């Protein structure tokens, strides 16, 4: 489905599909809901939101890929999440409570996003009651994935974590630099390289 943002027709089909996976809602209702979102484009490596600032919006990825990461006091980056097409992403607690976020969000390739401002978050919950259910289902799924990721760091070997990510999200290995993947897996680039060479030789 095409929708006009500014003076451009933007295909929001996958946005509608993702919402309908979570709740039963008409296409017309979703279209009215989408009118409260904005369309934004980012270049490869462009920052979308920086740590230390209050997030201005949450995001849905229409096209492209983002990384969510932390930076330690000594400047070491730790990737905690990769958002490809169909992913909702953002620091909602910081945004909704008007607090500075600890996270950075960066486009790792040219990306198109739908964004929902802090002000419109309050509007959609009052105007579209079904959004609360849709949001909660997605948030619970994300929280479970983050908890599993933390557990895997403690309980599974680097090779097991690598194989699991390769099975679940193979596209990341075509889209992300190896050092980003290594950081996400809690490995050094050298360790990841050794794992890949070992498995390639089997």
């Amino acid at each position: 489905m095409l929708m006009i943002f500014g003076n451009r027709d933007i295909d929001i089909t996958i946005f509608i599909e993702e919402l309908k996976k979570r709740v039963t809602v008409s296409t017309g209702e979703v279209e009215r809901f989408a009118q409260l979102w904005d369309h934004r484009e980012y270049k490869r490596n462009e920052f979308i939101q920086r740590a230390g600032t209050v997030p201005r919006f949450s995001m849905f990825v229409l096209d492209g890929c983002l990384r969510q990461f932390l930076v330690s006091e000594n400047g070491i980056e730790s990737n905690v999440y990769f958002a490809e097409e169909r992913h909702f992403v953002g620091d909602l607690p910081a945004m909704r409570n008007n607090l500075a976020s600890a996270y950075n969000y960066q486009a790792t390739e040219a990306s198109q996003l739908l964004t929902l401002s802090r002000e419109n978050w309050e509007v959609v919950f009052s105007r579209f009651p079904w959004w609360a259910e849709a949001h909660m289902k997605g948030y619970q799924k994300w929280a479970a994935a983050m908890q599993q990721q933390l557990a895997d760091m403690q309980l599974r070997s680097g090779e097991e974590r690598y194989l699991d990510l390769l099975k679940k999200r193979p596209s990341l290995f075509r889209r992300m630099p190896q050092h980003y993947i290594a950081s996400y897996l809690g490995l050094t680039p050298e360790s990841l390289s050794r794992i890949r060479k070992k498995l390639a030789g089997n």
Side-chain angles (χ1 to χ4, degrees), residues 71-77:
V71 181
S72 69
E73 291 183 357
N74 55 1
I76 297 176
E77 295 182 357

Side-chain angles (χ1 to χ4, degrees), residues 61-76:
V61 184
L62 283 175
D63 185 53
C65 195
L66 320 180
R67 68 177 181 128
Q68 177 182 353
F69 67 99
L70 299 164
V71 181
S72 69
E73 291 183 357
N74 55 1
I76 297 176

Side-chain angles (χ1 to χ4, degrees), residues 70-136:
L70 299 164
V71 181
S72 69
E73 291 183 357
N74 55 1
I76 297 176
E77 295 182 357
S78 297
N79 290 291
V80 298
Y81 192 71
F82 298 124
E84 300 175 276
E85 291 86 359
R86 298 179 178 270
H87 284 229
F88 289 89
V89 66
D91 189 345
L92 297 180
M95 183 186 77
R96 299 193 69 189
N97 292 290
N98 202 34
L99 300 172
S101 175
Y103 295 108
N104 295 279
Y105 297 86
Q106 184 182 30
T108 55
E109 57 190 51
S111 300
Q112 293 189 49
L113 312 179
L114 290 181
T115 63
L116 185 64
S117 69
R118 183 169 68 245
E119 295 75 19
N120 280 347
W121 257 92
E122 306 309 322
V123 175
V124 297
F125 274 108
S126 62
R127 193 177 298 177
F128 302 97
W130 52 264
W131 170 241
E133 179 185 352
H135 165 65
M136 185 55 63

